[in-house]
Amino acid sequence: MTAKSEDTVIVLGVILLVIGLVAGVSILWTIGVILVVIGAVLWIVGALGHGVGGRKHYW
């Protein structure tokens, strides 16, 4: 089973959010929020069937 790029981005964002929150490093928290938002947008656009980045399919 392969992970989709938006899944990877969301998971990485959540990990950075948690690390930033626990360690008190605001830049990690900010980057985590940005990655979660980007992953959610990619997930929504992909679910609608639109091409992302100029391509319909990636493999």
Side-chain angles (χ1 to χ4, degrees), residues 9-43:
V9 172
I10 292 172
V11 169
L12 181 62
V14 169
I15 290 170
L16 287 175
L17 276 171
V18 171
I19 292 173
L21 186 65
V22 170
V25 182
S26 63
I27 190 69
L28 289 179
W29 192 87
T30 304
I31 294 171
V33 169
I34 292 169
L35 288 177
V36 168
V37 169
I38 290 173
V41 168
L42 288 174
W43 178 57

Side-chain angles (χ1 to χ4, degrees), residues 45-59:
V45 170
L48 294 175
H50 296 287
V52 178
R55 296 182 181 222
K56 188 72 171 174
H57 301 284
Y58 286 96
W59 59 94

